[in-house]
Amino acid sequence: MAVRTLGSMEGDELHEGLSGERPGEGSDSEVWQRLSAYAYLSAPERLEYVAVMRVFCGTLLADLAVPDVLGKLAQAGGPGAALGAEMLTARLEQLVRWGNLLRSTHTVTATSIAEYQRSRSRYQLSKLGERVQRDADEVLAGADAAREVSSELLTLVDRGLGEIAALAAAPGGADPQQALEKISTLFAQFAGFAESVRDFYAYLGQVLARYDLDGAEYQGFKELLLDYVEAITEDVSFRAPRIAAHLRAIWPHLPTLLSRIDAHAGGLGALSDALPETRVQRSRGREPADWEGLRDWFADNDGHGSQVDQLRDATLRALQSLLANAKRMLRSASGEMSRRRDLLRLAAWFDAAEPEEAHDIAVAAFGLYGARHLGVAPDPDAAVPAYVSWWTGPVVDVPVALRERGSRAPRGRAAAVEDHGEQKRRLVEQAAEQVAARQAAAAELRSASGRFDQVRLGSAAMRLLLELLATALGNAQLRYEAEEFRLEGAQAGDEDLGIRLTAWRTPGRHTVLRSVDGDLTADDLTLIVDSSASAPAAREASA
């Protein structure tokens, strides 16, 4: 029976062979027609086809004849450089049948019949062919590379959604041109972030599926998971509720916003209205379905979980795989591979077996044959045929250590315990640096207390201030007295640093906290930072 490959089947033949029907007879004919554009990637001459397609992808709206393609292939070198005119014509015609190329309608101007025959067949790239070749080149260029997650784009998405929400809720509606620019930028940033997340976790799953990691590889991937993946997960978990809140604010205004943008800049939408048979793929963010996909990425709206939830689950599975690799390495290094379950099953077989069957099970399980020494290699120069009996065959010299002790392991002193003094010293220095940094941050906060809007804090001081503020608000109790809310017990401190933060509600006051990482405005709050002993007195003085 003849076997046909996908690359050896042509247009209609490809469709008929896969779907069992002629093109145009079924609802899936268009799908199969598009899939045939991938056939050249699995053909036996795939390298030649790829070289030809790269020539056409290097031009824009240009039609090329066979001599033009031959010249470019010879200039580029590689598999396509050896093609002749007749073979190249056959390759080009095959690409036309698959839908990757189109015959050009270019008018030929020739001065001789020979020139006309050489130039009458001109070809140009189809949209589907360009898309397939572009994806193939991207896969060939970096399929196995570890791609960084563009987490900075998530911050820009958060910021952009806040700006769009403010525009949509503004009196009189948003300016359509400004809204269009922000929406286009937003979806381009989100697409880049989502694509980098998918690529990185696909690479991570490919690596963690391996069971041949050595110590150095395991150490590298452990640091990758514990540092890089954790930072990504924390950033997404922090930004996701904010982005979901912005989307809830935008959602009631979304139909009006999109209709105003369409009225201002119709784009190719007018083409689909004038020619209903023409399909138009609009830019991202111009359709409600794009916004639904963005919302489903950050929030669970259909009960199937959001992409953020899947990201957390993927991180957990990655850590479990890392732990399984660690257990395997430890057991294999110490010789303590657990076989408890196998031994219990073997014991049950022995218990239920007859005496003769028990001997056969022991031989199969342990390989213990009578009068046989295992693990001792015979003399390589003495080739003994398989039919020679052990009674009359040559003997094998058994080492004295194996004969007397039953073990070939050498005796002697155990290796010295590894000295971890240098590692301990580095850890002590690192801890001291962290303590010094926190003490400096505490001193900076005490000096800036009462004039936070006039001082720009450093990153460490701002983190310490936010840590104390979060703890103070968590300890506080909100009471309603004299027709206003009061905060009671809103205090937090660190005795080791000798610092305490006190907060109370002051209606109408806006406390601005400035830092090199950004500004934070605390509405209706007054903050005082002082030493642990003087914090209550400072609050009474400020009140």
Side-chain angles (χ1 to χ4, degrees):
M1 181 180 65
V3 178
R4 302 297 303 276
T5 63
L6 181 64
S8 64
M9 302 176 70
E10 303 178 359
D12 296 348
E13 183 186 6
L14 173 69
H15 184 281
E16 184 179 8
L18 293 178
S19 63
E21 57 185 16
R22 298 293 297 175
E25 296 179 357
S27 59
D28 295 337
S29 60
E30 184 179 359
V31 175
W32 286 113
Q33 182 179 2
R34 293 182 179 182
L35 288 177
S36 65
Y38 289 88
Y40 77 95
L41 296 174
S42 60
E45 305 84 6
R46 60 180 69 91
L47 296 180
E48 297 176 0
Y49 281 119
V50 168
V52 172
M53 289 298 296
R54 283 175 177 168
V55 169
F56 282 91
C57 288
T59 62
L60 292 176
L61 292 178
D63 52 355
L64 302 176
V66 172
D68 301 330
V69 180
L70 282 175
K72 291 182 177 294
L73 288 175
Q75 182 179 1
L83 288 175
E86 294 183 1
M87 186 60 67
L88 176 60
T89 302
R91 299 281 187 268
L92 294 174
E93 290 296 327
Q94 183 64 62
L95 289 170
V96 170
R97 287 191 288 271
W98 282 329
N100 303 92
L101 298 180
L102 302 173
R103 287 189 178 89
S104 175
T105 58
H106 179 77
T107 301
V108 177
T109 302
T111 58
S112 64
I113 295 177
E115 183 180 354
Y116 173 77
Q117 290 176 343
R118 289 195 303 269
S119 303
R120 64 179 178 175
S121 297
R122 303 184 69 87
Y123 305 88
Q124 67 183 29
L125 191 65
S126 68
K127 178 181 181 298
L128 182 59
E130 189 276 336
R131 181 74 173 269
V132 171
Q133 183 59 35
R134 183 180 60 192
D135 293 344
D137 284 334
E138 184 177 354
V139 170
L140 293 174
D144 297 331
R147 179 175 177 180
E148 286 189 347
V149 175
S150 305
S151 56
E152 67 278 359
L153 294 179
L154 189 62
T155 304
L156 298 177
V157 170
D158 181 13
R159 186 183 306 166
L161 282 173
E163 294 174 355
I164 295 174
L167 286 175
D175 176 70
Q177 180 61 31
Q178 186 179 6
L180 177 59
E181 294 174 358
K182 292 186 177 298
I183 288 175
S184 300
T185 303
L186 167 72
F187 276 88
Q189 294 165 347
F190 171 70
F193 169 74
E195 182 181 357
S196 64
V197 168
R198 288 193 299 268
D199 286 354
F200 173 75
Y201 274 85
Y203 167 79
L204 190 62
Q206 171 184 326
V207 170
L208 292 176
R210 293 171 49 190
Y211 285 91
D212 57 343
L213 297 178
D214 56 20
E217 290 177 324
Y218 171 78
Q219 182 68 23
F221 290 123
K222 182 186 72 171
E223 294 177 357
L224 172 70
L225 284 175
L226 297 183
D227 298 333
Y228 193 71
V229 177
E230 183 180 4
I232 295 171
T233 307
E234 289 181 354
D235 195 12
V236 173
S237 300
F238 172 72
R239 296 288 178 182
R242 296 165 55 91
I243 292 176
H246 291 322
L247 288 171
R248 286 193 298 268
I250 295 173
W251 215 255
H253 308 283
L254 187 59
T256 303
L257 181 62
L258 294 181
S259 62
R260 295 189 65 178
I261 292 176
D262 288 340
H264 172 72
L268 289 179
L271 180 62
S272 61
D273 296 337
L275 301 173
E277 69 278 4
T278 302
R279 298 176 57 186
V280 174
Q281 184 177 1
R282 310 198 69 186
S283 60
R284 293 178 179 176
R286 299 290 295 271
E287 297 290 343
D290 299 333
W291 288 88
E292 292 174 0
L294 177 61
R295 182 181 62 176
D296 293 341
W297 212 98
F298 293 98
D300 183 9
N301 297 292
D302 53 4
H304 297 291
S306 63
Q307 293 292 326
V308 176
D309 298 331
Q310 295 183 20
L311 192 65
R312 297 193 188 99
D313 295 340
T315 302
L316 180 60
R317 289 193 296 270
L319 293 174
Q320 291 172 348
S321 299
L322 184 70
L323 182 60
N325 267 302
K327 292 180 178 179
R328 177 190 58 81
M329 293 176 63
L330 290 175
R331 289 172 178 172
S332 61
S334 59
E336 298 177 358
M337 189 69 70
S338 176
R339 303 298 299 273
R340 181 177 182 273
R341 182 180 300 178
D342 297 336
L343 293 176
L344 288 176
R345 183 186 303 175
L346 181 61
W349 290 346
F350 276 119
D351 184 61
E354 297 295 331
E356 293 298 327
E357 295 177 350
H359 288 295
D360 294 337
I361 293 175
V363 170
F366 304 107
L368 297 178
Y369 298 87
R372 183 179 181 187
H373 300 282
L374 298 180
V376 180
D379 185 4
D381 297 330
V384 180
Y387 56 83
V388 175
S389 173
W390 286 7
W391 291 102
T392 59
V395 298
V396 177
D397 293 332
V398 180
V400 176
L402 181 61
R403 185 170 59 247
E404 293 181 353
R405 303 194 303 268
S407 174
R408 306 173 80 176
R411 289 186 175 183
R413 294 188 306 170
V417 179
E418 184 178 357
D419 184 16
H420 298 282
E422 182 64 19
Q423 184 179 6
K424 292 179 180 179
R425 184 187 62 79
R426 288 198 304 267
L427 292 176
V428 170
E429 291 178 357
Q430 183 179 359
E433 291 175 358
Q434 293 177 355
V435 170
R438 287 181 62 86
Q439 290 177 349
E444 184 178 355
L445 288 181
R446 282 194 293 266
S447 64
S449 179
R451 52 189 185 93
F452 287 120
D453 56 344
Q454 304 173 8
V455 178
R456 188 168 297 277
L457 301 174
S459 298
M462 190 63 176
R463 285 196 298 268
L464 178 58
L465 179 60
L466 294 179
E467 174 184 340
L468 294 174
L469 179 58
T471 305
L473 294 178
N475 296 333
Q477 295 183 355
L478 189 64
R479 296 186 181 276
Y480 186 77
E481 295 179 4
E483 298 183 354
E484 66 175 1
F485 289 96
R486 295 181 178 276
L487 283 176
E488 293 187 358
Q491 294 184 356
D494 191 323
E495 297 297 330
D496 294 333
L497 300 177
I499 189 174
R500 181 177 296 274
L501 180 141
T502 305
W504 62 91
R505 187 172 182 273
T506 306
R509 178 163 183 176
H510 305 287
T511 301
V512 180
L513 306 176
R514 304 182 184 276
S515 72
V516 296
D517 296 331
D519 299 340
L520 172 67
T521 302
D523 295 335
D524 298 338
L525 278 181
T526 299
L527 306 178
I528 289 296
V529 177
D530 212 329
S531 60
S532 301
S534 59
R539 176 180 175 179
E540 294 176 0
S542 299

